[in-house]
Amino acid sequence: MKKPFKESITNDPHSSFRLKYSKIACLDSPWHLHNYYELFFILNGHGMRFVGDCISSFSSGDMVFLGPNLPHVWRNPDAYYAATKTETDVEAICLQFDYDAFGKGFFDIPEMSSIKKLLILSKRGLRILGHAHSEIATCLVEMLESGSFPRLLSLLHVLSVLASTKEVEALTHPSFTYSNYRQAHERMGRVFEYISNNYKNNITLEEVSKQARMSKAGFCKHFKKTTLKTFVQYLNEVKINYASQLLQEDNLTISEICFKTGFNNLSYFNRTFKSITGKTPKEYQKSMTYILKNPSQSL
């Protein structure tokens, strides 16, 4: 397994930042990082999102703002990658810019102080919610049809909305900074890549420690120091997030989902699910069925 792919982004000579709309069969980028700030908006599609040490499911409408050098990957369910598949099930808008996109020192002027704080916070990855989400989503769609100067003003407006809202959720743990990650870059890159590719299987400590090229004891200590979670805690969170996604699809039994997510014991799966989500799988499935049938109401 490789360390996170270092993505090289080609700039448009007629623009100081990159804005791209994609309508594709699946999200197929590898586990990667880059030097750019990135705003990623999923208009259509679902799956699992891996950002630093955070794993969670995503669905249509998901919007995340990432700081530079934060490893990430979005994965769709297996059906999206079928060789015979011809439909385009994923739509997304990706906006990327670097710190000097507006000129050196631009974010250091007094008027940009709140946005500069936002850029610092983005190193943890930010999920955007509520009214801020709605306003930015509208703005991104309009930017696709805008001229170069209105598009530039719209980017500043998007950053202003992000800087002034509290409707954001930090994704990674505060300890997960790039400086910490860089020290273990190749080792942990192989580990997170391996987990993101194999979390549906029964991954063993022996297998994953081999990816890090460490002893099992050394790996456990190193993993806990890097993520502030044990390997088992992290892996169970990945699996339970995937199980939550399957429970929403309502076409598998809880027993089938247990084994499909790499748990070999139904009672252990039920206990682990409740410890992470606060609900049993059955309770979670019932609540999600209600929400899907009554989207305008909350429990």
Side-chain angles (χ1 to χ4, degrees):
M1 274 302 157
K2 302 173 292 185
K3 61 185 178 183
F5 173 66
K6 183 74 173 182
E7 185 179 47
S8 176
I9 297 170
T10 303
N11 288 321
D12 180 348
H14 305 294
S15 178
S16 57
F17 63 96
R18 184 184 187 219
L19 181 69
K20 182 181 180 182
Y21 166 79
S22 299
K23 188 172 184 179
I24 51 180
C26 60
L27 295 166
D28 58 0
S29 294
W31 171 259
H32 68 286
L33 52 80
H34 46 67
N35 294 326
Y36 288 70
Y37 294 92
E38 177 174 302
L39 181 60
F40 195 51
F41 177 35
I42 300 285
L43 289 89
N44 188 51
H46 70 282
M48 297 288 289
R49 180 189 346 103
F50 296 75
V51 176
D53 64 348
C54 173
I55 35 84
S56 53
S57 59
F58 73 88
S59 57
S60 299
D62 189 60
M63 185 185 293
V64 170
F65 184 50
L66 305 176
N69 296 313
L70 182 56
H72 57 277
V73 66
W74 271 248
R75 298 251 196 246
N76 295 120
D78 292 343
Y80 280 64
Y81 303 95
T84 56
K85 187 172 179 294
T86 57
E87 312 94 83
T88 53
D89 288 340
V90 177
E91 289 183 83
I93 297 175
C94 183
L95 186 156
Q96 295 170 320
F97 64 95
D98 66 25
Y99 190 78
D100 294 326
F102 301 94
K104 289 188 180 298
F106 180 78
F107 290 117
D108 296 323
I109 64 176
E111 291 81 358
M112 293 294 109
S113 60
S114 62
I115 291 177
K116 188 173 182 179
K117 290 178 183 177
L118 163 73
L119 299 182
I120 293 171
L121 185 59
S122 72
K123 293 178 181 179
R124 290 184 58 194
L126 303 173
R127 183 179 174 220
I128 305 162
L129 309 165
H131 294 295
H133 176 286
S134 299
E135 187 170 353
I136 293 170
T138 299
C139 198
L140 287 173
V141 172
E142 291 175 349
M143 286 171 72
L144 293 171
E145 303 297 329
S146 299
S148 57
F149 187 66
R151 186 180 291 188
L152 180 66
L153 294 178
S154 294
L155 173 54
L156 286 173
H157 176 67
V158 166
L159 294 177
S160 177
V161 171
L162 284 174
S164 60
T165 186
K166 293 184 179 179
E167 296 177 303
V168 294
E169 173 184 278
L171 297 177
T172 68
H173 193 277
S175 69
F176 192 92
T177 62
Y178 181 60
S179 59
N180 289 341
Y181 180 79
R182 183 172 50 194
Q183 296 171 9
H185 186 269
E186 187 170 352
R187 281 179 177 171
M188 296 307 291
R190 287 195 301 268
V191 168
F192 288 131
E193 174 76 1
Y194 186 79
I195 293 173
S196 69
N197 286 332
N198 297 281
Y199 65 88
K200 299 172 190 176
N201 305 321
N202 184 25
I203 300 176
T204 66
L205 178 58
E206 183 177 6
E207 289 171 344
V208 79
S209 61
K210 283 182 179 179
Q211 297 300 318
R213 298 171 187 168
M214 302 174 74
S215 68
K216 289 189 283 187
F219 168 74
C220 288
K221 184 177 180 180
H222 186 73
F223 192 93
K224 181 69 178 289
K225 182 179 178 181
T226 303
T227 67
L228 293 188
K229 299 176 184 177
T230 67
F231 166 67
V232 172
Q233 285 175 322
Y234 180 85
L235 182 60
N236 281 344
E237 287 179 13
V238 174
K239 290 176 177 291
I240 295 304
N241 270 288
Y242 178 50
S244 300
Q245 179 182 310
L246 294 177
L247 284 166
Q248 293 178 48
E249 296 174 0
D250 200 29
N251 58 356
L252 293 172
T253 67
I254 291 172
S255 180
E256 288 172 328
I257 291 172
C258 165
F259 291 99
K260 191 176 179 66
T261 51
F263 288 93
N264 294 323
N265 182 289
L266 183 58
S267 61
Y268 177 64
F269 169 70
N270 286 330
R271 289 198 306 273
T272 304
F273 193 98
K274 186 169 184 178
S275 71
I276 291 173
T277 68
K279 298 179 180 178
T280 66
K282 191 171 185 179
E283 289 169 342
Y284 180 87
Q285 189 175 49
K286 184 177 180 180
S287 67
M288 290 309 301
T289 299
Y290 179 91
I291 290 171
L292 292 172
K293 290 180 178 179
N294 303 274
S296 61
Q297 300 180 41
S298 59
L299 292 175

